[in-house]
Amino acid sequence: MNQVKLILHKKRAALALARKELFSYLYAPAFYGAAVFFLAFCSVWLFYIQRYFDMNLATLRPYFSSFSLVFIIVIPVLTMKSWAEERKTGSLELLLTLPFSEWDLVLGKFLAVLAMLAIMLVLTIFLPVSLLPLGNFDIGIIICEYVGALLMGASAVALGLLLSSLSKNQAGSFLGSAVVLMAVMLISPLSFSLNLPQWLMRVINFFSLSFHYESFTKGLLDSRDIIYYIVSTTIFLFLTTRVVLFRKWS
């Protein structure tokens, strides 16, 4: 009974922190700039770079393939202030004195950023909906693509929060997250152009966030990719709690 009460208390604490962080994001101009960039980039990618109407195909795969690229910029913008700004302003010390565990703090920030990313994904729905009357689109594939985008985004957000906790300021957090996300997003596509051994390709693909997203763009809910995103997200969040705990006692 006491364990159940403890779990419920931790959930309430994490949700309370997430609500506080969420409102702070809604008042931050950076979020709206990131949202506009997200929507504009995906639209330009689909209509001007991929020349969607020339393809004459009832598929939105080119549209969703741009998500792994735009995440390289958007997610560092969302995560850069989570821990780095707290550390720079000195509010991290105050935050660590509150009656919350490291997991409460980390989960609260994670849920807030993930909610902001989910809002951006919801805003992109208007484009697919406007294109549906033009062809016989498979709604199931589109749903799978959104599920995959959210899972990939969750893993990328957790990674961004980890890098933010290791950074001294927002600029360092943004640059570090952008570089690392560029590596884990683009390493698999770039490796295909190289004549690498198969075993090395498998290793590279395993660590590539975009590679595990490909099955979703095909309308496949592969349990291996779902587990990969869940496990990688959990590992990144766990490492962030260790960094926060180190900050607390250092």
Side-chain angles (χ1 to χ4, degrees):
M1 187 67 179
N2 291 332
Q3 290 181 342
V4 174
K5 290 182 178 179
L6 181 61
I7 292 174
L8 291 175
H9 172 74
K10 286 183 174 293
K11 287 184 177 180
R12 286 195 295 267
L15 290 175
L17 289 169
R19 192 180 304 112
K20 172 185 172 296
E21 290 287 322
L22 186 59
F23 280 111
S24 70
Y25 276 108
L26 291 175
Y27 287 106
F31 164 70
Y32 297 97
V36 171
F37 175 78
F38 193 168
L39 298 175
F41 180 91
C42 294
S43 298
V44 170
W45 177 271
L46 180 66
F47 295 118
Y48 292 96
I49 298 178
Q50 296 291 329
R51 297 186 179 277
Y52 179 72
F53 291 117
D54 293 339
M55 295 172 59
N56 198 27
L57 295 173
T59 177
L60 287 171
R61 189 174 179 182
Y63 180 65
F64 287 96
S65 66
S66 66
F67 286 9
S68 58
L69 295 175
V70 76
F71 279 0
I72 296 173
I73 300 297
V74 168
I75 288 180
V77 171
L78 295 178
T79 60
M80 64 182 183
K81 84 179 191 70
S82 296
W83 294 107
E85 183 65 11
E86 300 270 15
R87 185 180 178 187
K88 181 182 178 181
T89 59
S91 58
L92 179 60
E93 289 74 11
L94 176 62
L95 189 63
L96 294 176
T97 61
L98 297 176
F100 299 120
S101 68
E102 293 76 28
W103 269 110
D104 293 334
L105 298 174
V106 172
L107 281 177
K109 289 183 176 291
F110 170 74
L111 291 174
V113 179
L114 186 62
M116 301 310 295
L117 183 63
I119 292 174
M120 291 186 184
L121 291 175
V122 169
L123 293 176
T124 67
I125 293 178
F126 294 103
L127 189 145
V129 169
S130 65
L131 294 176
L132 288 180
L134 302 180
N136 187 23
F137 292 89
D138 191 323
I139 303 299
I141 293 179
I142 295 176
I143 293 174
C144 285
E145 288 168 325
Y146 272 113
V147 170
L150 186 61
L151 288 172
M152 178 175 62
S155 184
V157 165
L159 178 56
L161 290 175
L162 171 60
L163 294 169
S164 179
S165 68
L166 294 171
S167 304
K168 294 182 179 180
N169 51 60
Q170 290 191 49
S173 174
F174 175 81
L175 291 175
S177 299
V179 170
V180 174
L181 283 175
M182 184 182 298
V184 297
M185 291 295 187
L186 300 182
I187 188 173
S188 180
L190 292 177
S191 64
F192 280 113
S193 61
L194 304 174
N195 189 19
L196 299 177
Q198 287 297 318
W199 66 268
L200 183 56
M201 285 290 298
R202 286 194 291 268
V203 172
I204 291 174
N205 290 337
F206 177 79
F207 289 102
S208 172
L209 294 183
S210 60
F211 174 80
H212 294 277
Y213 178 57
E214 291 179 4
S215 63
F216 294 96
T217 62
K218 300 174 184 176
L220 302 175
L221 291 177
D222 194 322
S223 59
R224 293 171 297 180
D225 296 322
I226 295 175
I227 292 173
Y228 173 85
Y229 283 131
I230 294 175
V231 171
S232 61
T233 300
T234 304
I235 291 174
F236 294 143
L237 292 179
F238 171 77
L239 293 176
T240 306
T241 63
R242 299 303 93 186
V243 174
V244 172
L245 184 62
F246 174 79
R247 303 286 187 206
K248 183 176 183 179
W249 296 110
S250 62

